[in-house]
Amino acid sequence: MDAQRIAGRLARLVPQHCKEEPSARGSALSREQQQLDSFLNLFEATSMPPVSATDYAVRLLGLYERTEDGCVPEGALACILIERFVRRINTLDSSYHVSPFNVHRLFLTALLVATKYLDDAVATDDCALVRTIGVAGGVAPRELVQLEIALLAGLAFELTVTPDEWEKFCSE
């Protein structure tokens, strides 16, 4: 799946009607719900990012090598992880959705996690990778590490994609 198709897939995760700012929720939430909210709020931008999710994804995917067929495996895996993250979070909080206020940080973080998962070589210089991806994505490395931990926890550290999942994703 090439960068444009991955970017398009990412953009489709954001509902077209979803242009409103993130809503604050009441204080009558359970402790577990408050913890989940603080965890999810890490991904929320305080204002609408000036670049579209599509342009942002294409820019970030420009850092990666492509396979012979033009695929950027890290980008495809990042989209799969975001979809999995949202499905899992929705079992806990059905009101959570990808929005213009969180899609950029979700993609940046999922791209970092996908890169680490697919490329053993980056494990030797994790700080350089976080710094490179953070700078390219406009997020401080320290904040990106926090986002990475939140995403991994939200995924219950389940990163494995079966061949059937991969094929289904690439065929859609």
Side-chain angles (χ1 to χ4, degrees):
M1 183 171 276
D2 67 14
Q4 285 294 338
R5 286 186 57 208
I6 291 168
R9 179 77 176 250
L10 181 66
R12 285 191 303 274
L13 290 173
V14 181
Q16 294 303 314
H17 65 278
C18 189
K19 302 287 186 218
E20 71 278 356
E21 293 190 26
S23 60
R25 297 186 8 160
S27 60
L29 300 173
S30 69
R31 180 183 164 137
E32 292 80 18
Q33 189 62 51
Q34 287 174 353
Q35 288 175 334
L36 178 62
D37 278 1
S38 68
F39 162 80
L40 295 174
N41 283 337
L42 290 173
F43 294 100
E44 297 294 330
T46 55
S47 62
M48 183 80 77
V51 62
S52 72
T54 302
D55 291 344
Y56 186 75
V58 168
R59 182 178 80 205
L60 290 174
L61 293 172
L63 299 171
Y64 291 86
E65 292 182 25
R66 284 151 175 70
T67 61
E68 289 176 10
D69 62 354
C71 180
V72 183
E74 296 88 350
L77 179 56
C79 285
I80 291 169
L81 294 177
I82 291 169
E83 290 172 357
R84 183 181 292 170
F85 175 81
V86 171
R87 275 193 313 272
R88 183 162 157 58
I89 294 303
N90 279 327
T91 64
L92 306 170
D93 179 358
S94 61
S95 69
Y96 187 76
H97 59 274
V98 178
S99 77
F101 291 90
N102 63 25
V103 67
H104 297 77
R105 288 169 175 248
L106 280 169
F107 184 70
L108 179 69
T109 309
L111 191 58
L112 173 66
V113 169
T115 302
K116 288 182 173 184
Y117 182 77
L118 293 174
D119 189 354
D120 291 335
V122 300
T124 60
D125 199 359
D126 186 61
C127 291
L129 176 68
V130 170
R131 192 172 36 255
T132 300
I133 291 179
V135 167
V139 174
R142 194 170 288 194
E143 185 177 4
L144 186 53
V145 169
Q146 290 178 321
L147 292 168
E148 178 186 12
I149 293 166
L151 181 71
L152 288 167
L155 290 166
F157 295 86
E158 180 53 51
L159 304 179
T160 304
V161 175
T162 67
D164 289 342
E165 284 178 292
W166 185 263
E167 187 60 39
K168 181 180 177 205
F169 177 82
C170 290
S171 68
E172 291 177 349

